[in-house]
Amino acid sequence: MFVLMGSFSAISHAETVIKFGVDPSFPPFESKAADGSLTGFDIDLGNAICQQAQAKCVWVETAYDSIIPALNAKKFDAVLSAMAITEKRKAQVNFSNVLYNIPSVLVAKKGSQLDTTVDSLKGKVIGVAQGTTQEAYAMGVWQSKGVQVVSYQNQDSVNLDLETGRIDATFTNAAAAETGFLKTPQGADFAFVGKTVLDPQYLGGGAAIALRKEDQAQLAMINKALAGIHADGTYTKLEKKYFTFDVFSNNKP
């Protein structure tokens, strides 16, 4: 009887765990602090969602270009890594309610005459991070019309080649560029060029948490927790910690 009661007690107090896959190379959404810990808006959102759901957060670092296959291989439960909702991705995973919706931008040397038109970019080299919606847009809209697009493993690698002049510009998330690279000493000579880009076909309709198709109960739990952090003001508090503009209703930076 003692063994049975002990087993029941252990089961009844089992802790709910949510394992989030993340590529920590995309500040201010996810990056590594000097001590190696994960930091950023997505990390804070995930931890707040877990707290609201009375669950334990576990973060699994994964390269972005393989993050959906890793999710479907059950290496973690969900992707929380600035992932935009696209039709192609919706065929592979389910998405939570929208976390935020931010335009994409071209970043180049200050004073550059570049803009986001094909005519302006012909003869130039544009860097993008692999697996991103910005890569899909650059390949589909620009490269197909003669613009040279180079893909890198992550945005940090893109920024390095931009800084050293190996590429002419990078196409990336506006908030990540504004509060990340452009705030660093290495980004001091760079700025947004041309118009911001919103294209649902390639760039999606906002970022959300991705889950496996069959995990309906966990999707419902995460959506309920997300609604909770909006209702109690936690979302707004975290948003103001990282941004000077409204990232939820898609106000432009």
Side-chain angles (χ1 to χ4, degrees):
M1 177 64 72
F2 176 81
V3 173
L4 289 175
M5 289 295 290
S7 298
F8 177 78
S9 178
I11 292 170
S12 64
H13 289 89
E15 187 173 32
T16 300
V17 175
I18 304 176
K19 291 183 179 180
F20 285 121
V22 63
D23 181 347
S25 64
F26 202 52
F29 299 98
E30 44 265 337
S31 60
K32 281 190 173 182
D35 63 1
S37 63
L38 294 174
T39 185
F41 186 48
D42 280 344
I43 306 301
D44 284 356
L45 280 180
N47 288 332
I49 286 169
C50 287
Q51 184 175 2
Q52 184 75 26
Q54 298 184 332
K56 177 183 178 182
C57 261
V58 174
W59 295 92
V60 181
E61 295 180 33
T62 306
Y64 197 83
D65 60 350
S66 61
I67 206 163
I68 287 180
L71 169 67
N72 285 325
K74 299 187 176 182
K75 293 185 178 180
F76 36 81
D77 305 310
V79 174
L80 209 179
S81 196
M83 179 167 284
I85 304 166
T86 65
E87 292 303 316
K88 181 178 179 181
R89 288 172 177 163
K90 284 166 68 175
Q92 303 173 72
V93 297
N94 279 340
F95 281 102
S96 70
N97 294 334
V98 173
L99 297 175
Y100 44 81
N101 193 7
I102 299 169
S104 297
V105 294
L106 203 62
V107 175
K109 279 277 191 180
K110 288 180 178 177
S112 168
Q113 298 303 306
L114 292 180
D115 61 40
T116 53
T117 64
V118 170
D119 287 343
S120 173
L121 298 179
K122 281 185 177 177
K124 305 299 181 181
V125 183
I126 310 302
V128 292
Q130 290 177 0
T132 63
T133 54
Q134 289 81 21
E135 180 190 43
Y137 180 93
M139 295 290 190
V141 176
W142 295 334
Q143 182 169 267
S144 63
K145 296 178 182 175
V147 178
Q148 185 177 351
V149 176
V150 179
S151 298
Y152 293 76
Q153 186 174 7
N154 55 52
Q155 189 63 39
D156 287 344
S157 299
V158 182
N159 294 342
L160 179 61
D161 271 11
L162 180 63
E163 179 195 353
T164 56
R166 294 188 183 95
I167 60 176
D168 298 293
T170 179
F171 187 56
T172 187
N173 177 282
E178 184 188 57
T179 62
F181 177 66
L182 295 180
K183 293 288 188 183
T184 66
Q186 295 78 14
D189 294 330
F190 297 86
F192 293 169
V193 296
K195 294 181 179 179
T196 57
V197 179
L198 288 166
D199 185 323
Q201 179 183 351
Y202 288 102
L203 300 174
I209 299 170
L211 300 96
R212 288 183 292 274
K213 289 282 190 181
E214 64 269 22
D215 289 344
Q216 295 293 327
Q218 195 155 54
L219 175 62
M221 177 180 67
I222 286 174
N223 279 336
K224 182 179 180 181
L226 183 57
I229 68 171
H230 276 287
D232 68 10
T234 299
Y235 183 96
T236 300
K237 181 180 178 180
L238 295 177
E239 179 186 48
K240 289 179 178 179
K241 175 181 175 182
Y242 290 96
F243 308 107
T244 59
F245 54 93
D246 182 352
V247 300
F248 186 67
S249 61
N250 193 33
N251 289 341
K252 294 181 182 181

